[in-house]
Amino acid sequence: GAPRPDTETWRRLAKQRCTKGAERYLDNKLDPDGKLQVSALRPNERDWKLGNRDLRCGLWRIGPGGSLQATVGPAVEQDQSDVWATGTCLGLVDGTVGDPVKCSEKHSYEMISIVNLGKKFDSYPSTSKQNAYLDKVCNKDARTYSGGKNLEKLKLIVAWDTRTKASWRAGSRLVNCKVGALLKDKSGLAPVEGSIAATEEERKKLDEKKKKSKPSTSSSPKSSTKPSSEPKQESDGEADNPVDDVLPEDEPTQDPPE
């Protein structure tokens, strides 16, 4: 019989045969920059020799380090925004973002909040508009999440994601605010160990401070906030296929800092 296609041929076939089916399943709302990617199960060597030529299309989530990530519920019911739950820490691999790890381990970013851009913008906001808005929101969220810790003293920076126009068209509105650290030469991310999440005592102190600072008659001027580091850029990266005989539409992307 015909020889079994090589990996690159399978990937090409999966993209050709599965993308349109995935779009139909998702009501034509497949986010090309979202958390879900088109994948396909191919027949193994034994099944191929027995004449099996079926390609089973599906959707999966791959972490920035290349491993499969759990999802809950049917894909058609999920928000495709590429975000992680608040409190998630992402690993560090060669100065760039890796798969989720415990925050007690060396990591690149800790997710401090999820922001819905749709509550601020009715139509797609330019990247500069997103940055201007998220600079304020994420710095505020960082103070709340950390219990008012001095991040500059801890040599940490506040960062965030932005959404592309293609993602917005697909319905993705959510982004992460996150905290990390840069290497001295700013060539990549520096390792961080431990969570900055506020303890119960720190939260109580922060709440008391907020109550005392509330003006009785008129609002006091807002203090200026030092701009955070610029948010991430998306760049292509290579990762090994985490499951034998399973093919993504494209290789998962890595997430280096600015």
Side-chain angles (χ1 to χ4, degrees), residues 83-154:
V83 294
W84 300 92
T86 299
T88 300
C89 287
L90 297 179
L92 183 65
V93 181
D94 298 328
T96 61
V97 182
D99 293 329
V101 297
K102 293 179 180 179
C103 291
S104 57
E105 299 177 15
K106 290 182 179 180
H107 58 270
S108 57
Y109 285 123
E110 180 174 358
M111 304 300 139
I112 59 172
S113 67
I114 295 175
V115 179
N116 186 346
L117 294 175
K119 291 184 177 180
K120 172 65 176 178
F121 303 101
D122 294 327
S123 58
Y124 177 71
S126 64
T127 302
S128 60
K129 287 183 178 180
Q130 292 182 57
N131 286 338
Y133 173 63
L134 291 169
D135 188 10
K136 297 176 182 178
V137 173
C138 291
N139 275 284
K140 180 181 178 181
D141 287 352
R143 289 192 294 273
T144 301
Y145 181 85
S146 68
K149 289 183 177 70
N150 187 331
L151 300 187
E152 186 176 1
K153 187 176 181 180
L154 295 173

Side-chain angles (χ1 to χ4, degrees), residues 63-66 93-99 232-240 251-257:
V93 181
D94 298 328
T96 61
V97 182
D99 293 329
K232 70 175 184 180
Q233 291 180 334
E234 299 294 335
S235 66
D236 294 329
E238 294 292 330
D240 293 334
E251 293 292 334
T253 57
Q254 297 267 340
D255 186 10

Side-chain angles (χ1 to χ4, degrees), residues 131 134-135 138-139 157-160 178 225-231:
N131 286 338
L134 291 169
D135 188 10
C138 291
N139 275 284
I157 52 99
V158 179
W160 52 84
K178 52 196 177 184
T225 303
K226 183 177 180 180
S228 68
S229 68
E230 294 180 2

